[in-house]
Amino acid sequence: MLVATGGCFSFGVHPGHLWILKKCREFAGSSGKVHVYVNCDEWIKKNKGKDRLIYNYGERCELLLGTRYVDEVIQFPQDNPSEMIRHYKPALWVKNCCYEEMPEQKVVESYGGGVVVLKSPIELSTTTILERIRAWK
């Protein structure tokens, strides 16, 4: 079974990310695959700000693939991963509950896939980490 999730991962992988990735691996099982669809560098600079791109795409791939949970990392330039989902058709799309809109849900459901929205017990986000760092200055 193919399970997928997505995000920027512009500041690397923090414990909240790892929790979601681990859940993806559990859903996929040992014989399944886990894809992570990541925003391209240009999209992050334009939409999140130049200071949010700490790791470039290649570095983010290394970090994500360095976990034991991820099989493939694929970048996309669009505002959401709908095109990637339409192409790869994961059986399950997994997202963190922090997102209010999820336009890709309609795409997943159009071919019979499922959507799982998880709430990580780890209250940590890239924004929170950056706020901590800025407070140290």
Side-chain angles (χ1 to χ4, degrees):
M1 170 165 65
L2 175 60
V3 176
T5 191
C8 292
F9 301 93
S10 58
F11 198 71
V13 180
H14 60 64
H17 290 141
L18 287 172
W19 187 85
I20 293 285
L21 296 171
K22 180 180 179 185
K23 289 295 181 186
C24 288
R25 171 53 57 204
E26 289 172 6
F27 290 134
S30 60
S31 61
K33 298 285 183 190
V34 174
H35 281 186
V36 179
Y37 307 141
V38 299
N39 299 89
C40 69
D41 295 351
E42 294 76 21
W43 187 93
I44 294 169
K45 288 177 192 174
K46 178 182 170 190
N47 294 282
K48 298 278 188 170
K50 292 179 183 178
D51 64 333
R52 282 291 290 265
L53 185 63
I54 305 303
Y55 296 105
N56 67 36
Y57 173 68
E59 294 163 335
R60 290 181 285 144
C61 284
E62 288 296 319
L63 288 167
L64 288 162
L65 291 169
T67 72
R68 61 180 181 244
Y69 310 122
V70 178
D71 296 300
E72 192 167 353
V73 179
I74 305 158
Q75 72 175 325
F76 65 95
Q78 300 84 7
D79 288 335
N80 67 67
S82 293
E83 287 186 34
M84 302 306 298
I85 291 167
R86 192 174 290 111
H87 177 76
Y88 289 100
K89 293 183 174 43
L92 202 57
W93 175 246
V94 179
K95 285 301 282 186
N96 186 353
C97 71
C98 298
Y99 295 91
E100 293 176 15
E101 288 187 30
M102 198 171 20
E104 60 270 26
Q105 182 169 353
K106 289 181 181 177
V107 176
V108 175
E109 291 171 348
S110 74
Y111 61 80
V115 174
V116 174
V117 179
L118 299 172
K119 170 125 177 68
S120 171
I122 302 167
E123 296 290 329
L124 190 62
S125 69
T126 301
T127 301
T128 305
I129 293 169
L130 289 171
E131 287 170 356
R132 287 180 187 173
I133 292 169
R134 288 181 184 122
W136 291 337
K137 289 184 179 181

